[in-house]
Amino acid sequence: EKGGYDYFMLKEIVEQPQAVADTLLGRVGVDGTLTLDEMRLAPSELREIEKIVIIACGTSYHAGLIAKYAIEHWCRVPCEVEVASEFRYRDPILNRQTMVIAISQSGESMDTLMAVRYAREQRARVLAICNVNGSTIPRESDGVLYTHAGPEVGVAATKTFLTQLVACYLIGLYLAQVRNTKFGDEVNAVIGQLARMPEQVQEVLGTVGPVRELARSLSGSGTVLFLGRHVGYPVALEGALKLKELAYMHAEAFAAGELKHGPIALIEDGLPVVVVVPSREGRGVLHDKIVSNIQEIRARGARTIVIAEEGDETVRPYADELIGIPSVPTLLQPIIASIPMQVFACELALAKGNDVDRPRNLAKSVTVE
Ligand code: M6R
């Protein structure tokens, strides 16, 4: 049942092009029309929304952080993202004009479920993004968008993370269409690009071989740092989480702009630092800023592992290791930039002899608060 792989996680990483295609299936028309029926929120209701609050845990929370960048940009609706376990204890401000999006692969995380119940008590409209059909969170929500990634057995979220991102993008693009924002042309272009994502995910999987060797060479390191800006920052957080849970290593992620406010003091000779470089298209300033961040850490001895667009020659002089990914709009880049991170963490864990399907102390779904 592992399809010839030693671990479910390896199989689930490879299944990602299909999983992404299945999330898109039947939802994107050839003319770019989106059909999200199970959302069960009428366009008139969606036009009334004044605020979006995303609640989730772990990897699903990282998907939410990425969604915020896309939703605020395309829809011009304020969007907050919060760890579910913190949410209801701080007396959050919710009302009928608030749309709460609960992201949960299992649909059973107790922290997220309790946050959903709280939001509904406050009369917010609740939309779930889930992978497990008929699980508790979608049953208790007003609407649901299933990710259709198929069962995920490995404790580490991989294909369900990518498909959560796709679901978040679909919601953001749909909202933008319904609300008729001035980004209409961009939204239509992005829908076309999203529809091509399965091929690009496949392309990345075909080129990650060198990441495996790199990961094995780092199995003796005590710490790995991750840096990103914009949507690359949550991708960095996710890369660090994967390394902690699978390889039991100390890993931390920072927004690259925060480096000089403290974390740069951690940089010492040989310290591996993984950096996600945003696409140049549309985000040129961010791109150039992160290139100077890479220069800064390298000058202090860091071993720089740079994930950047194929053909981005500007980063080459400062990259000890360069991992190329296809060129896609920055907002969609997390779908492909996360893949080398998954492979990196998985391979490092395997090099250490860990069971990547069942990492110590963890459960696939956390049904206690
Ligand atoms: O089922 P959920 O998406 O609600 O689970 C949330 C987290 O427990 C989960 O994403 C966890 O962080 C993963 N093991 C990460 O790989």
Side-chain angles (χ1 to χ4, degrees):
E1 48 179 12
K2 290 182 193 143
Y5 294 92
D6 290 340
Y7 291 94
F8 282 105
M9 185 179 179
L10 295 168
K11 172 170 169 267
E12 287 158 1
I13 288 176
V14 171
E15 283 171 350
Q16 293 184 113
Q18 189 59 50
V20 167
D22 289 344
T23 308
L24 292 166
L25 191 71
R27 290 171 171 163
V28 186
V30 270
D31 59 349
T33 333
L34 299 178
T35 318
L36 306 179
D37 288 344
E38 329 94 296
M39 250 175 86
R40 290 198 297 264
L41 289 169
S44 57
E45 286 178 273
L46 293 176
R47 281 192 278 269
E48 281 168 22
I49 301 297
E50 288 169 6
K51 184 172 85 167
I52 294 176
V53 179
I54 302 180
I55 45 174
C57 314
T59 292
S60 301
Y61 168 68
H62 297 151
L65 290 175
I66 293 165
K68 174 189 164 85
Y69 288 86
I71 290 174
E72 288 195 337
H73 175 69
W74 294 328
C75 310
R76 309 311 295 154
V77 182
C79 178
E80 298 167 10
V81 192
E82 192 154 349
V83 163
S85 55
E86 288 293 321
F87 179 66
R88 69 197 171 106
Y89 299 105
R90 67 166 175 92
D91 202 7
I93 301 163
L94 306 168
N95 56 37
R96 199 68 197 134
Q97 279 70 48
T98 313
M99 178 159 91
V100 168
I101 304 179
I103 310 178
S104 174
Q105 184 285 131
S106 59
E108 302 295 346
S109 287
M110 188 55 79
D111 289 316
T112 313
L113 176 61
M114 296 314 272
V116 163
R117 288 185 180 156
Y118 180 90
R120 293 205 70 194
E121 278 163 22
Q122 310 293 310
R123 302 187 62 247
R125 294 173 163 102
V126 180
L127 175 65
I129 295 179
C130 286
N131 192 48
V132 178
N133 271 44
S135 51
T136 312
I137 290 171
R139 277 195 278 117
E140 295 207 12
S141 301
D142 294 296
V144 58
L145 201 65
Y146 282 112
T147 44
H148 299 310
E152 188 176 68
V153 179
V155 162
T158 53
K159 62 176 178 171
T160 58
F161 175 61
L162 258 58
T163 57
Q164 284 171 344
L165 292 177
V166 173
C168 289
Y169 293 132
L170 286 172
I171 291 170
L173 294 164
Y174 183 70
L175 258 182
Q177 280 186 342
V178 167
R179 296 169 69 101
N180 218 349
T181 56
K182 63 177 175 155
F183 293 96
D185 290 345
E186 182 183 337
V187 163
N188 290 335
V190 173
I191 291 173
Q193 276 143 343
L194 194 58
R196 286 194 293 277
M197 273 297 151
E199 295 147 50
Q200 274 153 338
V201 170
Q202 187 69 59
E203 195 181 324
V204 180
L205 288 172
T207 57
V208 284
V211 177
R212 299 208 168 86
E213 285 153 48
L214 167 67
R216 283 194 289 269
S217 77
L218 292 174
S219 60
S221 306
T223 294
V224 180
L225 299 185
F226 293 78
L227 295 178
R229 272 180 186 263
H230 194 262
V231 287
Y233 172 42
V235 171
L237 287 168
E238 174 59 10
L241 176 63
K242 283 283 162 289
L243 206 59
K244 288 175 212 173
E245 74 172 335
L246 296 167
Y248 318 147
M249 277 171 78
H250 175 235
E252 256 192 278
F254 304 104
E258 275 290 290
L259 262 183
K260 56 187 174 301
H261 299 287
I264 199 162
L266 291 170
I267 307 291
E268 55 189 18
D269 228 19
L271 180 80
V273 186
V274 181
V275 191
V276 192
V277 178
S279 319
R280 281 160 298 176
E281 182 247 302
R283 296 280 185 292
V285 183
L286 280 180
H287 173 274
D288 297 351
K289 288 206 159 148
I290 210 156
V291 174
S292 52
N293 294 139
I294 302 172
Q295 271 175 274
E296 282 157 13
I297 56 170
R298 194 147 185 275
R300 289 163 179 80
R303 177 170 176 196
T304 55
I305 301 160
V306 179
I307 302 176
E309 276 179 332
E310 210 80 68
D312 183 350
E313 291 305 320
T314 54
V315 292
R316 192 174 290 280
Y318 317 109
D320 292 306
E321 315 287 343
L322 188 55
I323 301 165
I325 54 173
S327 183
V328 298
T330 301
L331 283 169
L332 301 186
Q333 200 195 35
I335 298 184
I336 52 171
S338 306
I339 300 168
M341 303 267 195
Q342 299 169 344
V343 173
F344 181 74
C346 182
E347 204 61 33
L348 228 160
L350 291 174
K352 292 184 140 195
N354 299 351
D355 178 344
V356 291
D357 285 343
R358 283 179 300 154
R360 68 185 182 199
N361 308 340
L362 292 170
K364 182 67 183 164
S365 69
V366 183
T367 51
V368 289
E369 250 194 294

